[in-house]
Amino acid sequence: MNRPKAVAFDVVETLFSLESLRPRLLTAGLGGHQLETWFASFLRDAFALEITGGYKPFREIASANLSVLLEKELGRADSQAVDHVLDGFAELDAHDDVAPAMSALRDSGIEVATLTNGSAKVTSALLERAGLRHLVRQVISIDEIGHWKPHREVYRHCAERLGVEPHRLALVAAHPWDIQGARRSGLIAGYVARDGVAFPAAMEAPDVRGVTLVEVVAGLIEAQ
C-alpha cells in the first residue's frame, strides 16, 4: 500500500451520524426503528437507477422513497413531513473522531477532501456547522459527474479534482460497497467499522480498517 497524498472521506454515516433523523421519522408518523430500513432502501433505488442509466440526485430519490414508505405505513404521503425529515440531513451531528482524524492528516501533510453521494451545498453546511470546514480542501459531490458511488468514474473524478493519481488517493468509508468501489477503481481504501459492523468477506478487503477514524487514519499515515 502506498502512503496517500490525499484522503477523501465519505460523508453520511462515515463522518456524520444519522441518529438525529430518528426523531424526525417519529414526527412524520413512522417508527424510529425504520431509519435503517429507509436509508438502505433509498440507496437500493439509487443504485438501481445508476445501473440502468437513470441518474437522479440524492434528495429526489430519498424523497420519493420516503413517500412510498409513508403511503405504505400511513396510507398517505405528506409532503411537509417528507421535507421535515430530509431537511434533517443538513443538521446531522459529526462523530467525535472526525476532527482528530482530519487534524492528524493535515499535520502529516496529507490533504483532506470529502466525496459524497449527497450535494456539495449540504455537505459544506454540515462541515461548517461542525467546525470542520477549515480542515477540508475540497467538497466533491456526485452531482458533478452524474454517477452514484460506487461507480468507478466517481472515484476517478475525485482523483482528478485533487490532482493525484488514483493509487495515491485513499477513500475512507463506513460502507463496504464504497470500499469495493474504491478498490476496483485503483484507490487505497480505509474501512471504519461504525457500531462494530464487520467487513463482509465477499467484498474486496480494505487496505486499512479500524473501529474509529483515528485508527484508520493512523494506518494510512504510517504507510511507506
Side-chain angles (χ1 to χ4, degrees):
M1 183 184 73
N2 295 298
R3 188 175 194 266
K5 291 182 178 179
V7 173
F9 289 93
D10 170 58
V11 176
V12 177
E13 292 195 294
T14 301
L15 300 181
F16 295 90
S17 170
L18 288 173
E19 278 304 311
S20 62
L21 295 184
R22 210 175 295 278
R24 288 176 180 259
L25 287 179
L26 291 171
T27 301
L30 297 172
H33 66 281
Q34 292 176 295
L35 173 60
E36 289 79 11
T37 301
W38 166 56
F39 192 68
S41 62
F42 146 54
L43 288 178
R44 176 207 61 204
D45 290 355
F47 295 163
L49 285 166
E50 172 60 47
I51 292 171
T52 56
Y55 178 80
K56 294 184 184 300
F58 186 101
R59 188 173 181 111
E60 184 174 347
I61 303 174
S63 174
N65 189 277
L66 182 57
S67 294
V68 169
L69 181 59
L70 286 169
E71 287 182 7
K72 176 183 178 182
E73 298 294 327
L74 306 177
R76 58 182 174 79
D78 185 333
S79 61
Q80 289 185 332
V82 171
D83 286 340
H84 176 68
V85 174
L86 297 184
D87 288 347
F89 277 103
E91 298 181 8
L92 302 180
D93 296 320
H95 291 289
D96 293 339
D97 55 2
V98 177
M102 287 185 172
S103 296
L105 289 169
R106 181 193 59 183
D107 294 344
S108 298
I110 298 175
E111 294 184 338
V112 177
T114 58
L115 180 61
T116 180
N117 277 335
S119 75
K121 181 179 179 181
V122 170
T123 301
S124 293
L126 284 172
L127 293 169
E128 290 283 0
R129 182 172 177 270
L132 299 167
R133 187 62 183 89
H134 68 289
L135 296 170
V136 179
R137 175 188 168 194
Q138 291 195 48
V139 175
I140 302 170
S141 167
I142 61 168
D143 291 336
E144 299 170 17
I145 192 170
H147 287 293
W148 275 74
K149 291 188 294 175
H151 194 287
R152 178 174 304 188
E153 292 304 316
V154 178
Y155 305 99
R156 295 301 179 94
H157 173 71
C158 181
E160 290 177 6
R161 280 282 308 272
L162 295 171
V164 299
E165 296 176 324
H167 70 278
R168 298 303 299 276
L169 171 63
L171 184 281
V172 175
H175 306 288
W177 52 262
D178 212 353
I179 298 298
Q180 174 75 8
R183 293 285 283 119
R184 297 293 291 176
S185 303
L187 274 63
I188 303 162
Y191 176 67
V192 59
R194 293 292 185 208
D195 299 321
V197 177
F199 194 86
M203 302 283 192
E204 289 197 25
D207 297 286
V208 177
R209 66 182 79 193
V211 297
T212 69
L213 287 180
V214 173
E215 290 182 9
V216 175
V217 162
L220 296 173
I221 293 172
E222 291 167 5
Q224 298 300 314

